[in-house]
Amino acid sequence: MALDQSFVGRSYPPTAPYEVGREKIREFAEAIGDTHPAYTDPEAAGELGHPDVIAPPTFVFAITFKAAGEVVADPKLGLDYSRVVHGDQKFAYTRPVRAGDRLTVTSTIEAVRSMAGNDILDIRGEVRDEAGEHVVTAWTKLVARAADDAADDAAGGAAGKQGE
Amino acid sequence: MTARIAYAEVEAGTELPARSFPVTRDTLVRYAGASGDFNPIHWNERFAREVGLPDVIAHGMFTMAEAARVVTDWTGDPGALVEYGVRFTKPVVVPDDGSGAVIEVSGKVAAKLDDEARTVRVDLTVTSAGQKVLGMSRAVVRLA
Protein backbone atom coordinates (compact mmCIF):
# COMPACT_ATOMS: atom_id res chain seq x y z
CA MET A 1 0.00 0.00 0.00
CA ALA A 2 1.43 3.35 -1.02
CA LEU A 3 2.16 5.74 1.80
CA ASP A 4 0.63 9.19 1.98
CA GLN A 5 3.21 11.49 0.32
CA SER A 6 1.80 14.54 2.06
CA PHE A 7 3.59 13.38 5.24
CA VAL A 8 7.03 14.35 3.85
CA GLY A 9 8.44 17.24 5.86
CA ARG A 10 5.95 16.81 8.66
CA SER A 11 7.33 17.40 12.17
CA TYR A 12 5.85 16.16 15.40
CA PRO A 13 5.87 18.05 18.71
CA PRO A 14 8.81 17.34 21.09
CA THR A 15 8.40 14.29 23.32
CA ALA A 16 8.13 14.50 27.09
CA PRO A 17 11.66 14.58 28.60
CA TYR A 18 13.54 11.28 29.05
CA GLU A 19 15.75 11.43 32.12
CA VAL A 20 19.04 9.58 31.59
CA GLY A 21 20.11 7.66 34.71
CA ARG A 22 23.53 6.30 35.64
CA GLU A 23 22.14 2.84 36.38
CA LYS A 24 20.30 2.64 33.05
CA ILE A 25 23.56 3.49 31.26
CA ARG A 26 25.35 0.83 33.31
CA GLU A 27 22.69 -1.75 32.41
CA PHE A 28 23.02 -0.91 28.71
CA ALA A 29 26.83 -1.00 28.76
CA GLU A 30 26.74 -4.41 30.48
CA ALA A 31 24.22 -5.71 27.93
CA ILE A 32 26.59 -4.88 25.07
CA GLY A 33 29.55 -6.21 27.07
CA ASP A 34 31.38 -2.89 27.01
CA THR A 35 33.50 -2.30 30.10
CA HIS A 36 34.73 1.20 29.17
CA PRO A 37 34.97 3.01 32.54
CA ALA A 38 33.47 6.25 31.18
CA TYR A 39 30.10 4.45 31.12
CA THR A 40 30.09 3.52 34.80
CA ASP A 41 32.66 5.58 36.71
CA PRO A 42 32.03 9.35 37.03
CA GLU A 43 35.73 9.92 37.82
CA ALA A 44 36.90 8.11 34.69
CA ALA A 45 34.38 10.08 32.65
CA GLY A 46 35.63 13.26 34.31
CA GLU A 47 39.21 12.51 33.28
CA LEU A 48 37.99 12.54 29.67
CA GLY A 49 36.29 15.90 30.25
CA HIS A 50 32.72 14.68 30.74
CA PRO A 51 30.71 16.06 33.70
CA ASP A 52 29.13 12.66 34.45
CA VAL A 53 29.16 9.12 33.07
CA ILE A 54 28.40 9.03 29.35
CA ALA A 55 26.25 6.57 27.43
CA PRO A 56 27.51 4.26 24.68
CA PRO A 57 26.89 5.81 21.24
CA THR A 58 23.83 3.74 20.33
CA PHE A 59 22.10 4.09 23.73
CA VAL A 60 20.02 7.02 22.47
CA PHE A 61 18.31 4.84 19.86
CA ALA A 62 15.84 3.54 22.45
CA ILE A 63 14.70 7.12 22.98
CA THR A 64 14.55 8.21 19.33
CA PHE A 65 12.92 4.97 18.18
CA LYS A 66 10.17 5.34 20.74
CA ALA A 67 9.56 8.85 19.42
CA ALA A 68 9.59 7.54 15.83
CA GLY A 69 7.10 4.88 16.89
CA GLU A 70 4.56 7.56 17.62
CA VAL A 71 5.03 8.80 14.05
CA VAL A 72 4.79 5.46 12.28
CA ALA A 73 1.75 4.46 14.35
CA ASP A 74 -0.20 7.37 12.80
CA PRO A 75 -2.96 5.47 10.94
CA LYS A 76 -3.25 8.23 8.34
CA LEU A 77 0.33 7.49 7.19
CA GLY A 78 -0.72 3.97 6.13
CA LEU A 79 2.43 2.06 7.17
CA ASP A 80 1.97 -1.67 7.85
CA TYR A 81 4.07 -1.83 10.99
CA SER A 82 3.92 -5.64 11.19
CA ARG A 83 6.14 -5.81 8.06
CA VAL A 84 8.64 -3.14 9.11
CA VAL A 85 12.38 -3.84 9.28
CA HIS A 86 15.19 -1.47 10.16
CA GLY A 87 17.06 -0.52 6.98
CA ASP A 88 19.67 2.09 7.93
CA GLN A 89 20.67 3.91 11.09
CA LYS A 90 22.87 6.96 11.49
CA PHE A 91 23.78 9.30 14.34
CA ALA A 92 25.47 12.73 14.33
CA TYR A 93 26.67 13.85 17.77
CA THR A 94 27.28 17.32 19.15
CA ARG A 95 28.20 15.66 22.45
CA PRO A 96 27.68 12.26 24.07
CA VAL A 97 24.48 11.58 26.02
CA ARG A 98 25.27 11.61 29.75
CA ALA A 99 23.67 10.84 33.09
CA GLY A 100 21.43 13.63 34.28
CA ASP A 101 20.34 14.65 30.79
CA ARG A 102 16.66 15.36 30.30
CA LEU A 103 16.26 14.72 26.58
CA THR A 104 13.43 15.56 24.23
CA VAL A 105 13.07 14.29 20.66
CA THR A 106 11.52 16.16 17.75
CA SER A 107 10.74 13.77 14.89
CA THR A 108 10.43 14.79 11.26
CA ILE A 109 9.50 12.62 8.29
CA GLU A 110 12.25 13.29 5.76
CA ALA A 111 11.20 10.97 2.93
CA VAL A 112 8.44 8.58 1.94
CA ARG A 113 9.04 6.30 -1.05
CA SER A 114 7.86 3.07 -2.61
CA MET A 115 10.39 0.77 -4.28
CA ALA A 116 9.61 -2.66 -5.71
CA GLY A 117 6.50 -2.89 -3.57
CA ASN A 118 8.37 -1.92 -0.40
CA ASP A 119 7.39 1.22 1.49
CA ILE A 120 10.40 3.20 2.72
CA LEU A 121 10.23 5.82 5.44
CA ASP A 122 13.07 8.09 6.58
CA ILE A 123 12.64 9.70 9.99
CA ARG A 124 14.97 12.24 11.59
CA GLY A 125 14.96 12.62 15.37
CA GLU A 126 16.58 15.75 16.83
CA VAL A 127 17.59 15.19 20.44
CA ARG A 128 17.99 18.24 22.69
CA ASP A 129 18.78 18.71 26.35
CA GLU A 130 16.85 20.70 28.92
CA ALA A 131 18.59 23.92 27.88
CA GLY A 132 17.46 23.33 24.29
CA GLU A 133 21.02 22.56 23.15
CA HIS A 134 21.51 19.96 20.43
CA VAL A 135 22.93 16.63 21.65
CA VAL A 136 22.49 14.18 18.77
CA THR A 137 20.46 13.65 15.62
CA ALA A 138 19.32 10.15 14.69
CA TRP A 139 18.26 9.15 11.16
CA THR A 140 16.25 5.94 10.94
CA LYS A 141 15.23 4.26 7.69
CA LEU A 142 12.31 1.86 8.05
CA VAL A 143 11.31 -0.52 5.27
CA ALA A 144 7.87 -2.15 5.15
CA ARG A 145 8.47 -5.19 3.01
CA ALA A 146 6.02 -6.11 0.24
CA ALA A 147 3.48 -8.64 1.55
CA ASP A 148 4.81 -11.50 -0.65
CA ASP A 149 8.47 -10.76 0.00
CA ALA A 150 10.56 -13.66 1.27
CA ALA A 151 11.34 -13.06 4.92
CA ASP A 152 14.79 -14.65 4.75
CA ASP A 153 16.28 -11.37 3.55
CA ALA A 154 14.86 -9.51 6.54
CA ALA A 155 17.47 -7.20 7.98
CA GLY A 156 18.84 -7.79 11.45
CA GLY A 157 17.13 -4.73 12.83
CA ALA A 158 13.61 -6.00 12.31
CA ALA A 159 11.37 -3.59 14.13
CA GLY A 160 7.93 -5.16 13.85
CA LYS A 161 5.78 -4.89 16.92
CA GLN A 162 5.86 -7.83 19.23
CA GLY A 163 3.22 -10.47 19.67
CA GLU A 164 1.94 -10.51 16.09
CA MET B 1 36.90 14.96 24.39
CA THR B 2 40.28 13.39 24.86
CA ALA B 3 41.06 10.82 22.24
CA ARG B 4 44.39 9.09 22.84
CA ILE B 5 45.17 8.63 19.13
CA ALA B 6 46.84 11.65 17.55
CA TYR B 7 45.56 12.92 14.21
CA ALA B 8 49.14 13.40 13.04
CA GLU B 9 49.93 9.74 13.67
CA VAL B 10 47.28 8.20 11.43
CA GLU B 11 46.91 8.10 7.67
CA ALA B 12 44.45 6.64 5.19
CA GLY B 13 44.84 2.89 5.49
CA THR B 14 45.75 2.82 9.19
CA GLU B 15 44.14 -0.31 10.60
CA LEU B 16 42.22 -0.42 13.88
CA PRO B 17 42.61 -3.46 16.15
CA ALA B 18 40.05 -6.04 14.97
CA ARG B 19 37.67 -7.63 17.48
CA SER B 20 35.37 -10.66 17.71
CA PHE B 21 32.17 -10.40 19.73
CA PRO B 22 30.35 -13.60 20.71
CA VAL B 23 26.53 -13.54 20.77
CA THR B 24 24.34 -16.11 22.50
CA ARG B 25 20.64 -16.22 23.33
CA ASP B 26 21.58 -14.97 26.80
CA THR B 27 23.21 -11.91 25.20
CA LEU B 28 20.04 -11.17 23.24
CA VAL B 29 17.76 -11.47 26.28
CA ARG B 30 19.99 -9.05 28.19
CA TYR B 31 20.04 -6.63 25.26
CA ALA B 32 16.26 -6.85 24.89
CA GLY B 33 15.85 -5.86 28.53
CA ALA B 34 18.40 -3.05 28.46
CA SER B 35 17.21 -1.57 25.16
CA GLY B 36 13.49 -2.15 25.57
CA ASP B 37 13.28 -3.98 22.21
CA PHE B 38 11.26 -7.10 23.03
CA ASN B 39 10.49 -8.14 19.45
CA PRO B 40 10.14 -11.97 19.74
CA ILE B 41 12.27 -12.59 16.61
CA HIS B 42 15.20 -11.88 18.96
CA TRP B 43 14.36 -14.56 21.55
CA ASN B 44 11.53 -16.83 20.38
CA GLU B 45 12.63 -19.45 17.85
CA ARG B 46 9.10 -20.59 17.08
CA PHE B 47 8.03 -17.03 16.32
CA ALA B 48 11.15 -16.32 14.23
CA ARG B 49 10.50 -19.36 12.03
CA GLU B 50 6.83 -18.46 11.68
CA VAL B 51 7.80 -15.15 10.08
CA GLY B 52 10.21 -16.93 7.74
CA LEU B 53 13.55 -16.39 9.49
CA PRO B 54 15.99 -19.30 9.71
CA ASP B 55 16.23 -18.95 13.51
CA VAL B 56 16.37 -16.26 16.21
CA ILE B 57 18.36 -13.24 14.97
CA ALA B 58 20.34 -10.60 16.87
CA HIS B 59 18.97 -7.08 17.22
CA GLY B 60 20.47 -4.96 14.42
CA MET B 61 21.15 -2.26 17.00
CA PHE B 62 23.11 -4.78 19.08
CA THR B 63 25.38 -5.48 16.11
CA MET B 64 25.71 -1.74 15.54
CA ALA B 65 26.69 -1.28 19.20
CA GLU B 66 29.37 -4.00 19.03
CA ALA B 67 30.85 -2.62 15.80
CA ALA B 68 31.17 0.82 17.43
CA ARG B 69 33.40 -0.65 20.14
CA VAL B 70 36.22 -1.14 17.64
CA VAL B 71 36.18 2.63 17.11
CA THR B 72 35.61 3.76 20.72
CA ASP B 73 38.25 1.35 22.09
CA TRP B 74 40.72 2.69 19.52
CA THR B 75 40.17 6.38 20.32
CA GLY B 76 39.87 5.74 24.06
CA ASP B 77 37.08 8.29 24.44
CA PRO B 78 33.60 7.27 23.23
CA GLY B 79 32.80 11.01 23.28
CA ALA B 80 35.18 11.52 20.35
CA LEU B 81 32.60 10.00 18.01
CA VAL B 82 31.14 12.65 15.69
CA GLU B 83 29.09 10.52 13.28
CA TYR B 84 28.21 6.85 13.02
CA GLY B 85 26.01 5.12 10.47
CA VAL B 86 25.29 1.60 9.20
CA ARG B 87 23.04 -0.28 6.80
CA PHE B 88 21.53 -3.54 8.05
CA THR B 89 22.20 -5.94 5.19
CA LYS B 90 21.92 -9.47 6.64
CA PRO B 91 20.69 -10.81 9.97
CA VAL B 92 23.08 -12.31 12.55
CA VAL B 93 21.53 -15.73 13.11
CA VAL B 94 21.94 -16.94 16.70
CA PRO B 95 21.29 -20.68 17.14
CA ASP B 96 20.56 -22.20 20.57
CA ASP B 97 23.47 -24.63 20.33
CA GLY B 98 25.63 -23.59 23.26
CA SER B 99 27.96 -21.46 21.17
CA GLY B 100 25.67 -19.02 19.32
CA ALA B 101 27.24 -16.67 16.77
CA VAL B 102 30.28 -14.43 16.46
CA ILE B 103 30.35 -10.88 15.09
CA GLU B 104 33.72 -10.07 13.50
CA VAL B 105 34.63 -6.39 13.21
CA SER B 106 37.63 -4.80 11.53
CA GLY B 107 38.18 -1.18 10.62
CA LYS B 108 40.59 1.16 8.91
CA VAL B 109 41.00 4.87 8.42
CA ALA B 110 39.45 5.63 5.04
CA ALA B 111 40.27 9.33 4.89
CA LYS B 112 41.55 12.27 6.90
CA LEU B 113 38.70 14.76 6.68
CA ASP B 114 39.67 18.02 8.35
CA ASP B 115 43.14 19.04 9.60
CA GLU B 116 41.70 21.73 11.88
CA ALA B 117 38.90 19.65 13.44
CA ARG B 118 41.28 16.61 13.42
CA THR B 119 38.51 14.35 12.12
CA VAL B 120 38.99 11.09 10.26
CA ARG B 121 36.55 8.67 8.67
CA VAL B 122 36.79 5.04 9.72
CA ASP B 123 35.23 2.33 7.53
CA LEU B 124 34.18 -0.85 9.33
CA THR B 125 33.79 -4.36 7.98
CA VAL B 126 31.29 -6.38 10.01
CA THR B 127 30.65 -10.06 9.30
CA SER B 128 29.08 -13.11 10.93
CA ALA B 129 29.41 -16.68 9.64
CA GLY B 130 31.37 -15.30 6.69
CA GLN B 131 28.60 -12.93 5.58
CA LYS B 132 28.62 -9.16 5.67
CA VAL B 133 25.93 -8.17 8.19
CA LEU B 134 26.40 -4.39 8.11
CA GLY B 135 27.02 -2.32 5.00
CA MET B 136 28.09 1.31 4.64
CA SER B 137 29.38 1.07 8.19
CA ARG B 138 31.20 4.34 8.75
CA ALA B 139 32.26 6.48 11.68
CA VAL B 140 33.73 9.96 11.89
CA VAL B 141 35.91 10.56 14.96
CA ARG B 142 37.79 13.54 16.33
CA LEU B 143 41.37 12.63 17.23
CA ALA B 144 43.86 14.32 19.54
Side-chain angles (χ1 to χ4, degrees):
Chain A
M1 171 166 124
L3 300 180
D4 185 343
Q5 288 289 329
S6 72
F7 276 73
V8 176
R10 188 173 296 199
S11 279
Y12 291 76
T15 55
Y18 175 99
E19 190 164 327
V20 180
R22 281 182 185 172
E23 296 307 324
K24 188 64 194 177
I25 291 176
R26 177 193 301 275
E27 180 190 4
F28 186 86
E30 284 176 355
I32 63 170
D34 197 330
T35 57
H36 196 296
Y39 300 144
T40 50
D41 177 0
E43 252 179 62
E47 281 166 21
L48 295 171
H50 307 297
D52 205 325
V53 294
I54 61 172
T58 61
F59 174 88
V60 75
F61 179 78
I63 305 167
T64 60
F65 188 63
K66 190 174 175 217
E70 291 168 19
V71 175
V72 299
D74 188 336
K76 293 195 213 72
L77 177 63
L79 189 75
D80 183 351
Y81 201 42
S82 68
R83 293 185 292 115
V84 165
V85 296
H86 197 174
D88 293 18
Q89 182 61 40
K90 186 182 168 185
F91 301 99
Y93 306 89
T94 296
R95 67 163 173 84
V97 168
R98 60 186 177 234
D101 274 338
R102 287 169 58 83
L103 302 175
T104 58
V105 186
T106 305
S107 299
T108 302
I109 296 180
E110 284 202 328
V112 172
R113 279 173 295 141
S114 287
M115 266 177 61
N118 296 330
D119 288 328
I120 301 168
L121 184 66
D122 287 300
I123 302 170
R124 183 181 78 240
E126 301 268 354
V127 181
R128 293 180 181 277
D129 64 17
E130 207 165 18
E133 299 291 331
H134 181 261
V135 177
V136 54
T137 298
W139 288 268
T140 300
K141 184 188 294 292
L142 298 176
V143 181
R145 290 174 294 119
D148 57 354
D149 207 9
D152 61 1
D153 63 358
K161 65 189 168 193
Q162 65 170 307
E164 285 294 310
Chain B
M1 317 302 151
T2 4
R4 63 165 175 236
I5 302 289
Y7 181 76
E9 283 164 22
V10 304
E11 53 194 36
T14 298
E15 291 191 7
L16 282 61
R19 296 278 303 271
S20 296
F21 303 103
V23 195
T24 64
R25 295 288 179 83
D26 172 73
T27 319
L28 299 184
V29 170
R30 274 174 195 273
Y31 184 79
S35 69
D37 183 346
F38 295 103
N39 189 322
I41 61 172
H42 304 305
W43 53 268
N44 183 330
E45 192 170 317
R46 175 180 51 79
F47 182 87
R49 291 189 196 280
E50 269 172 23
V51 298
L53 293 165
D55 204 332
V56 161
I57 63 171
H59 303 74
M61 288 305 299
F62 175 81
T63 305
M64 186 178 187
E66 298 306 297
R69 291 172 60 188
V70 163
V71 180
T72 54
D73 282 352
W74 178 62
T75 62
D77 181 4
L81 195 60
V82 178
E83 278 180 34
Y84 179 41
V86 305
R87 173 162 295 167
F88 302 104
T89 50
K90 286 277 180 191
V92 174
V93 179
V94 184
D96 183 23
D97 60 0
S99 54
V102 177
I103 299 168
E104 311 270 1
V105 186
S106 62
K108 64 178 180 190
V109 175
K112 297 182 86 166
L113 300 178
D114 186 332
D115 290 348
E116 212 160 295
R118 304 186 308 280
T119 48
V120 302
R121 194 185 95 213
V122 171
D123 287 2
L124 297 168
T125 302
V126 186
T127 63
S128 185
Q131 287 209 304
K132 202 175 207 182
V133 293
L134 298 181
M136 305 285 290
S137 185
R138 293 172 171 181
V140 174
V141 285
R142 182 173 296 114
L143 300 179

